[in-house]
Amino acid sequence: MTAQTLPGAPAEVDVESLCDDLRARVDGEVRSDPGSRAAYSTDGSNYRFPPIAVVVPNSVDAGAAAVRVCAEHGAPVLSRGGGTSLAGQTTNAAVVLDWTKRCHHLVSVDQEARTCIVEPGIVLDVLNDKLAEHSLMFGPRPSTHWSCVLGGMIGNNSCGATAQAYGKTVDNIRRLEVLTYDGLRMWVGQTSDEELEAITAEGGRRAEIYASLRELRDRNLSGIRTGFPKIPRRVSGYNLDSLLPENGFHVARALVGSEGTLVTVLHAELELVPVPAARDLVVLGYPDIFAAADAVPSILESDPHRLEGLDDILIGEERSEHLHPDAIEQLPKGSGWLMVEFVADDIDAAHAKSEELVDRLKQTEHEPAYSYFDEPEAEDQLWQVREGGLGATARPPGGGETWEGWEDAAVSPYALGGYLRDFHALLEEYDYADESALYGHFGQGCVHTRIPFDMRTASGVADFRSFVERAADLVVSYGGSLSGEHGDGQARGALLAKMYPPEIMAAFGDLKAIFDPDRHMNPGRVVWAYPVDTHLRLGTDFEQRRERTWFAYPEDDHSFGNAVMRCIGVGKCRNHGDGGVMCPSYRVTGEEEHTTRGRSRLLQEMMRVDGVVRDSWRSKDVLEALDLCLACKGCKKDCPVNVDMATYKAEFLAHHYRGRLRPMAHYTMGWLPLLARLASAAPGAVNALMATPGLSQALKKAGGVAPERAAPRFARQRFVEWFAARPAPARPSSQGDVVLWPDSFNNNFSPEVGRAAVEVLESAGFRVRIPSKTLCCGLTWISTGQLATARRVLQRTVAALRDDIRAGTTVVGLEPSCTAVFRSDAAELFPHDDDVLRLQGQVRTLAEVLEGCDDWRPPSPVAGRRVVVQPHCHQHAIMGFETDRRLMERLGIEVVEQVPGCCGLAGNFGFEDGHYDISMKIAEDSLLPAIRNAHGATTLADGFSCRTQVAQSGVDTRPLHLAQLLAGRGS
């Protein structure tokens, strides 16, 4: 890269020289490669700016050094948090500072003063987990609490549902340590008159800033006092009101919400609140969302802790996507709902507040239907319904798309009903209403929505701009704020003049000039902002490459390009909370490109005609980002918009290696079913060779296998050989025939699983058959991207099973990854093959088959068995684990813990050379600690990979398959 002119930059930036200096002088990682620039090219907004470079500092001081280097080169700087911003403030043609990987420490806690000091990259959930031992927490809690970081919350002035009780982030900041672009590093906070005089008397840059701030305030005193909406959710604009005398000339709070356009935040001293002892939730149902909004003022009289609104469009979309079905079914009658939470010292007192509210409303025009949620699990599920609104509404049923752009305006909660009616009328005028859910923080008058803008055509973009301009006029007419939570960025920066009088807009510009006179800090945001319809992620010049693909992508208009565009940037894949299957490699690396979002961004840039990833399917940057994707499919379920990175990876590998030599691991592990069949001729000799010192290492090296891995031992007798040799069962069949699928793993390595399954199924009254010839589902070829071979293997399998398929015979899968191929991948490879689609509906897990046998009991007693369960990732994503849990509960098996994360082996991934360390770190994230803490409980893992990982991890347990458990093995 050479010198280039960048949007918002006053002059050319010599990128090569800049990056050389950053690498020489910054303790951290400096990245200017296409892959890194692609991963940070956009956020959760409608806008796209591939950055100049990305800096991942090893310390706060290193981050400060990076800013100093950028200042010397005149390069713009963007200090980025979790990258989920919806208004475009975390994407820019700048040097991006990513604090989240290493600058994420809780520096100190003062329990008595209820304060703490943090670095900017600490995730909110992580912080609150650390504060829990002090019975304290940071009050504001956005719906992205699993991934949002405090630096981003400060930049955005984040709020969340708990702002009803605790206020916005600005209300919870005591001090900030900040760095100006020209190198001044200082702590700022509330400033008394005496302190202000002392600071200005010192002279120097700090004195200049404070004197200029005082002069700015005094010159605009009247305008500041009268020009800011007096509503709880005013987020738009700079916080000049924090400089008022009555607000203590609070410089730190004046900088909150400035979106990185004024200073870089290095540390923050936060004010903390006690963790509520007990909470109670009541949900109120109304005929529509407008009637629900009308009831808000009456409910506020009861001083709720949280007060949220939901409409029937949101609930309908979550219901259609099968999100939180149990919680949704408990909603009271209505088409608009209010979630009202109370807290108290004990649950009885909290519930009494809920009852008092309902009793009071019964005597008014706002009488609701209602449901109490006093069980913590049910409450949490319903809050997940609310927090999942962004993802649930991104892709409405029917294949449409909705977009940000006007998603968080706020008015007084006492005017909410009228505003919602007028806003809905505006949506109807533009024909957006049917797909625009209305929900949000109704207790503070903040309304969230996503709107089905057409962002690809000139007329659609014109309508987008016209709509947001008229929506801005509407909210201003109600005395409201363009943004009530997500900030201004580019989406609303250019509209601020509609909300604020000219003298306040001039004051905003003066504030920017005090801290950043040359406009290098996140330029084009808040003030002197780019127009709302420029630098769009799509736009009228958006063009994708059109490529023939192996998978069909039926839900994405049969387009791989559309499929990878699914990601909306919400960042659920950056979950730092309670484990989770999605993105196991990110959880141990902390790298953006190892999230589903980061990989999606690279693939998006690869498919763009003007993308920064130029070499299409041959891209080494994309290959590198996908290398640590375990193809766990966790994102297919856990991602709010069901991005399926495992499928995208297989597609990419198929094209990347077309006509080229592949890594040896693709041949050894991709062709494992064939190699296993060959090994079955002399399994003892093969096992001996693989265990011979020296030879074993040489074979693994030649085969691309990690030297640290022990090769699985081939069984002396395969399951299919045992089945063929066994005597016919004496017990007659009462349930009919089932075909037991002899997958390559259990057939060749764990035949005891198949034998146990036969015993269990026959005890349930089934006549068990197996295919008459050796078949395969094609999994290993799919996971290594050898899709032509996978198709041939699947076609052969379907042809061999055709009679049973057309007879409707149930096929029982024991290996979850193979079962998932039949339930998902096969249909995506053969979307028009009726037999493949029939097979998709006839393949069942063992638990699914047994659940229908109401009177069945296992051949050996299992009641009282204690298990730690490791669900296979593909089962989690495709079949789900709920049936297994219900079956175990019915049989009296106690699930001590269900491990929430990936085992780390993931088929060929953990066996490939170079992946061992990552694989074991993933295992240590949740699986191995759960087993160690289980106090002798049996480890239950249906996946061969999961059992192998446990067996090779040195923990003192012998993992079992569900079939073995039900057959009484290992007791």
Side-chain angles (χ1 to χ4, degrees):
M1 298 176 68
T2 58
Q4 62 186 64
T5 302
L6 299 156
E12 282 192 340
V13 174
D14 186 334
V15 177
E16 185 174 351
S17 175
L18 166 65
C19 291
D20 286 344
D21 274 3
L22 286 169
R23 292 187 179 99
R25 296 166 55 188
V26 175
D27 178 20
E29 301 169 50
V30 179
R31 306 167 183 171
S32 57
D33 59 283
S36 297
R37 296 177 65 229
Y40 291 83
S41 60
T42 186
D43 49 14
S45 72
N46 298 333
Y47 303 101
R48 169 184 172 267
F49 288 82
I52 302 170
V54 177
V55 176
V56 181
N58 287 338
S59 66
V60 169
D61 289 344
V67 174
R68 286 192 289 272
V69 173
C70 289
E72 292 174 13
H73 287 261
V77 173
L78 166 58
S79 187
R80 174 169 151 142
T84 60
S85 294
L86 300 177
Q89 53 268 66
T90 52
T91 177
N92 214 328
V95 174
V96 172
L97 291 177
D98 186 346
W99 302 98
T100 60
K101 184 175 181 180
R102 297 194 179 96
C103 300
H104 49 57
H105 299 99
L106 171 60
V107 178
S108 63
V109 180
D110 187 330
Q111 186 168 2
E112 184 176 346
R114 292 182 181 173
T115 63
C116 70
I117 295 177
V118 299
E119 294 178 343
I122 190 168
V123 172
L124 178 60
D125 273 357
V126 174
L127 171 63
N128 281 335
D129 285 345
K130 292 177 181 291
L131 294 173
E133 64 181 274
H134 304 285
S135 299
L136 296 171
M137 67 180 191
F138 187 68
R141 188 174 186 263
S143 61
T144 54
H145 50 85
W146 60 77
S147 64
C148 66
V149 303
L150 266 295
M153 292 180 68
I154 291 165
N156 221 45
N157 197 7
S158 298
C159 310
T162 57
Q164 185 75 38
Y166 306 121
K168 306 184 289 288
T169 295
V170 68
D171 304 309
N172 296 270
I173 296 297
R174 179 162 294 191
R175 293 189 304 152
L176 296 176
E177 187 189 23
V178 300
L179 177 69
T180 63
Y181 188 78
D182 56 10
L184 175 65
R185 184 170 177 172
M186 60 181 173
W187 280 92
V188 297
Q190 191 171 26
T191 317
S192 68
D193 290 342
E194 293 77 15
E195 290 171 319
L196 184 54
E197 290 298 331
I199 291 170
T200 56
E202 291 174 355
R205 177 68 169 128
R206 182 178 181 226
E208 175 189 326
I209 288 175
Y210 271 77
S212 298
L213 290 175
R214 179 173 58 187
E215 191 276 331
L216 173 65
R217 178 201 67 183
D218 292 345
R219 176 163 34 91
N220 295 280
L221 204 59
S222 176
I224 295 172
R225 283 178 172 146
T226 61
F228 283 71
K230 301 301 188 289
I231 59 173
R233 281 298 186 99
R234 195 278 303 164
V235 170
S236 280
Y238 291 134
N239 292 329
L240 293 179
D241 51 336
S242 293
L243 298 176
L244 292 172
E246 56 267 31
N247 293 329
F249 198 78
H250 207 307
V251 178
R253 293 184 177 181
L255 295 172
V256 171
S258 58
E259 302 179 7
T261 62
L262 302 180
V263 295
T264 299
V265 174
L266 303 178
H267 288 96
E269 184 175 7
L270 313 176
E271 295 179 354
L272 308 175
V273 296
V275 175
R279 55 192 175 100
D280 187 77
L281 175 66
V282 60
V283 180
L284 310 179
Y286 290 92
D288 53 41
I289 196 64
F290 314 115
D294 290 338
V296 166
S298 294
I299 296 168
L300 289 175
E301 296 175 17
S302 295
D303 193 25
H305 184 253
R306 289 192 272 187
L307 174 50
E308 302 288 291
L310 310 165
D311 76 351
D312 55 339
I313 296 178
L314 171 61
I315 295 302
E317 290 173 359
E318 296 215 12
R319 183 179 279 120
S320 70
E321 295 170 29
H322 308 290
L323 300 174
H324 319 296
D326 294 340
I328 288 175
E329 290 309 309
Q330 295 182 61
L331 290 173
K333 182 180 178 180
S335 294
W337 295 270
L338 295 175
M339 299 171 58
V340 191
E341 182 182 80
F342 294 97
V343 299
D345 292 336
D346 58 68
I347 188 60
D348 291 338
H351 187 63
K353 292 182 180 181
S354 297
E355 291 181 325
E356 289 170 5
L357 170 65
V358 171
D359 290 343
R360 181 168 60 79
L361 292 177
K362 287 178 180 178
Q363 304 170 26
T364 72
E365 61 182 315
H366 305 301
E367 180 175 356
Y370 59 91
S371 295
Y372 293 113
F373 289 73
D374 51 8
E375 291 294 330
E377 183 175 351
E379 288 185 22
D380 289 342
Q381 287 180 0
L382 197 56
W383 284 115
Q384 289 170 21
V385 171
R386 165 59 192 87
E387 292 176 351
L390 175 60
T393 58
R395 287 186 171 255
E401 292 177 300
T402 61
W403 298 90
E404 298 77 26
W406 194 260
E407 76 289 338
D408 73 319
V411 298
S412 166
Y414 297 93
L416 183 59
Y419 167 72
L420 274 184
R421 289 178 174 88
D422 288 345
F423 180 63
H424 190 263
L426 184 63
L427 290 169
E428 287 183 318
E429 181 181 337
Y430 281 79
D431 201 24
Y432 296 149
D434 290 345
E435 297 178 49
S436 298
L438 300 174
Y439 61 100
H441 313 295
F442 278 25
Q444 294 193 308
C446 181
V447 180
H448 291 323
T449 187
R450 287 176 64 93
I451 299 173
F453 298 122
D454 169 10
M455 304 297 280
R456 299 178 189 234
T457 68
S459 61
V461 173
D463 283 346
F464 158 65
R465 177 165 183 158
S466 170
F467 179 88
V468 298
E469 288 177 342
R470 289 186 58 190
D473 291 335
L474 175 63
V475 78
V476 169
S477 75
Y478 273 87
S481 176
L482 309 185
S483 172
E485 180 156 31
H486 300 150
D488 298 316
Q490 182 177 340
R492 285 169 283 277
L495 302 173
L496 284 176
K498 290 178 174 289
M499 178 177 167
Y500 289 105
E503 59 270 23
I504 294 298
M505 290 300 299
F508 287 162
D510 291 342
L511 182 67
K512 169 79 168 173
I514 290 170
F515 285 98
D516 181 30
D518 295 324
R519 307 183 189 181
H520 288 97
M521 299 294 293
N522 203 8
R525 305 294 181 265
V526 188
V527 292
W528 301 303
Y530 302 133
V532 300
D533 54 354
T534 61
H535 306 294
L536 294 170
R537 190 193 303 184
L538 299 184
T540 59
D541 59 350
F542 174 71
E543 186 179 358
Q544 281 185 327
R545 304 179 193 278
R546 294 291 177 180
E547 305 278 0
R548 294 185 63 182
T549 57
W550 292 95
F551 291 98
Y553 309 104
E555 296 180 1
D556 298 288
D557 196 27
H558 302 283
S559 164
F560 179 78
N562 288 349
V564 300
M565 287 291 294
R566 274 183 167 267
C567 175
I568 59 172
V570 71
K572 188 68 181 293
C573 45
R574 291 175 59 95
N575 190 334
H576 287 262
D578 55 353
V581 172
M582 185 165 46
C583 294
S585 54
Y586 166 74
R587 295 178 62 82
V588 299
T589 66
E591 287 286 354
E592 174 70 18
E593 74 170 23
H594 295 149
T595 64
T596 300
R597 182 178 70 179
R599 292 174 179 130
S600 293
R601 298 295 186 240
L602 266 82
L603 290 169
Q604 289 169 18
E605 290 293 318
M606 182 190 85
M607 294 302 293
R608 293 181 70 103
V609 171
D610 63 346
V612 298
V613 176
R614 298 290 188 185
D615 39 0
S616 189
W617 298 111
R618 299 299 197 194
S619 170
K620 293 181 179 179
D621 294 289
V622 176
L623 180 67
E624 181 180 331
L626 291 173
D627 180 56
L628 292 189
C629 171
L630 282 75
C632 68
K633 281 190 178 287
C635 49
K636 188 173 176 66
K637 182 173 183 179
D638 294 350
C639 171
V641 290
N642 308 119
V643 168
D644 185 0
M645 193 54 61
T647 297
Y648 307 164
K649 177 180 180 179
E651 185 78 60
F652 175 82
L653 292 176
H655 293 273
H656 184 80
Y657 287 112
R658 182 180 181 184
R660 304 167 79 186
L661 190 66
R662 288 172 167 270
M664 280 306 300
H666 286 199
Y667 299 110
T668 54
M669 285 173 272
W671 288 75
L672 178 65
L674 179 60
L675 297 177
R677 187 175 180 184
L678 295 174
S680 67
V686 174
N687 290 336
L689 286 173
M690 292 304 299
T692 302
L695 179 59
S696 171
Q697 292 300 99
L699 290 172
K700 284 189 279 189
K701 183 176 182 179
V705 177
E708 301 90 341
R709 286 289 177 191
R713 294 180 61 81
F714 291 96
R716 291 187 177 277
Q717 183 186 45
R718 295 191 301 162
F719 166 69
V720 294
E721 295 165 351
W722 170 86
F723 191 89
R726 78 183 189 120
R731 185 175 178 177
S733 168
S734 60
Q735 296 278 8
D737 285 13
V738 294
V739 172
L740 184 61
W741 180 251
D743 61 89
S744 298
F745 306 102
N746 288 312
N747 185 30
N748 293 286
F749 299 105
S750 303
E752 61 275 12
V753 171
R755 294 196 294 267
V758 170
E759 180 181 347
V760 169
L761 287 167
E762 289 182 344
S763 76
F766 292 99
R767 186 165 70 118
V768 179
R769 295 189 283 108
I770 65 171
S772 58
K773 61 177 70 174
T774 300
L775 301 172
C776 183
C777 68
L779 168 69
T780 56
W781 286 283
I782 293 172
S783 62
T784 54
Q786 300 179 78
L787 299 182
T789 305
R791 283 178 60 91
R792 289 194 296 271
V793 168
L794 273 167
Q795 286 174 318
R796 179 173 180 270
T797 293
V798 172
L801 294 177
R802 184 163 287 124
D803 289 344
D804 278 314
I805 291 172
R806 295 183 176 181
T809 307
T810 294
V811 178
V812 183
L814 299 177
E815 170 57 39
S817 55
C818 298
T819 308
V821 169
F822 291 132
R823 292 273 280 261
S824 179
D825 302 83
E828 293 171 27
L829 284 167
F830 296 98
H832 305 299
D833 188 313
D834 289 335
D835 286 325
V836 170
L837 299 179
R838 292 182 185 110
L839 179 61
Q840 180 184 36
Q842 291 168 220
V843 172
R844 296 284 183 270
T845 67
L846 181 62
E848 288 171 340
V849 171
L850 295 175
E851 188 183 37
C853 304
D854 295 336
D855 298 328
W856 170 78
R857 289 293 178 268
S860 297
V862 294
R865 290 285 295 269
R866 299 172 64 253
V867 295
V868 171
V869 180
Q870 169 65 31
H872 190 285
C873 295
H874 289 192
Q875 177 159 2
H876 167 82
I878 305 301
M879 291 83 73
F881 195 73
E882 295 77 13
T883 304
D884 296 65
R885 281 195 70 101
R886 288 195 300 269
L887 178 66
M888 286 187 280
E889 182 178 346
R890 190 184 96 193
L891 299 178
I893 300 169
E894 178 188 355
V895 177
V896 176
E897 183 173 353
Q898 181 174 322
V899 179
C902 179
C903 75
L905 192 61
N908 56 293
F909 176 85
F911 274 98
E912 290 183 6
D913 193 13
H915 289 169
Y916 179 80
D917 288 343
I918 290 288
S919 174
M920 296 310 300
K921 287 178 181 177
I922 293 169
E924 288 289 356
D925 185 55
S926 55
L927 171 60
L928 299 183
I931 293 173
R932 294 188 190 105
N933 296 331
H935 306 296
T938 300
T939 299
L940 184 64
D942 282 4
F944 176 75
S945 293
C946 306
R947 296 196 302 277
T948 301
Q949 181 78 308
V950 173
Q952 295 192 6
S953 298
V955 293
D956 185 18
T957 185
R958 177 181 170 237
L960 299 180
H961 189 284
L962 177 63
Q964 294 173 287
L965 181 74
L966 298 179
R969 308 293 194 265
S971 56

